[in-house]
Amino acid sequence: MPKNKGKGGKNRKRGKNEADDDKRELVFKEDGQEYAQVTRMLGNGRCEAICVDGTRRLCHIRGKMHKKVWIAAGDIVLVGLRDYQDDKADVILKYMNDEARLLKAYGELPDTLRLNEGVDVDGPEEGEEGSDYIQFEDEDIDKI
């Protein structure tokens, strides 16, 4: 029988806690980077996000964050723009809720951006009231 040469199994990997719960320094965007809000997760380490400049981009979650930092719809992230593909970007950093509020207070994020709201990032479409309630006419039922 072969000897185990590793340092442990999946329980050891579960025990690691690399998520920085304590206060970390707030990271601002640099050249070639942009703030974005995740609209939906696509799977395979990819997500769709609307950047602050108004462009909808397909974002790839980098390997260091993959399966360690969980990203959901509505999260504020820092993406690195690609020089050769304008419609694609790479997720560099996920901001915690308090960090996103600080960015909004500093004026880095626009006031129209809604924080802490997951699924309905775009808001109701034109003509919608924002609910799934449908009003039926009583006359339609009697004709059956």
Side-chain angles (χ1 to χ4, degrees):
M1 284 198 349
K3 288 193 171 191
N4 294 333
K5 298 194 179 196
K7 296 201 179 359
K10 66 180 178 182
N11 289 332
R12 180 180 170 272
K13 290 178 185 173
R14 274 189 199 151
K16 282 186 182 179
N17 190 7
E18 294 184 8
D20 297 330
D21 290 337
D22 54 348
K23 296 288 182 184
R24 63 181 183 196
E25 188 176 331
L26 190 61
V27 178
F28 293 102
K29 71 174 182 176
E30 298 174 1
D31 290 338
Q33 296 177 348
E34 195 65 58
Y35 300 113
Q37 185 170 25
V38 177
T39 55
R40 62 185 179 144
M41 295 301 296
L42 302 174
N44 200 20
R46 297 182 184 273
C47 62
E48 187 178 85
I50 296 179
C51 293
V52 172
D53 60 4
T55 312
R56 186 178 295 266
R57 290 189 169 95
L58 178 70
C59 299
H60 178 262
I61 301 170
R62 58 183 275 183
K64 187 176 180 180
M65 297 176 65
H66 190 67
K67 291 192 176 181
K68 290 179 179 66
V69 178
W70 291 101
I71 297 176
D75 288 343
I76 305 297
V77 293
L78 181 67
V79 296
L81 305 177
R82 296 182 180 180
D83 296 333
Y84 51 93
Q85 290 175 315
D86 191 43
D87 59 335
K88 292 186 180 180
D90 301 301
V91 176
I92 297 173
L93 177 75
K94 176 193 168 191
Y95 290 105
M96 302 295 172
N97 290 335
D98 56 338
E99 293 173 332
R101 274 187 244 109
L102 280 174
L103 283 174
K104 197 168 185 179
Y106 288 146
E108 294 284 326
L109 297 176
D111 293 333
T112 57
L113 195 70
R114 298 187 307 192
L115 302 177
N116 300 332
E117 296 181 17
V119 179
D120 193 19
V121 175
D122 295 332
E125 299 294 326
E126 254 183 67
E128 281 187 14
E129 297 173 5
S131 68
D132 293 335
Y133 183 74
I134 301 172
Q135 181 68 33
F136 290 104
E137 297 293 328
D138 291 335
E139 297 169 4
D140 294 341
I141 298 172
D142 295 337
K143 291 180 182 177
I144 298 176

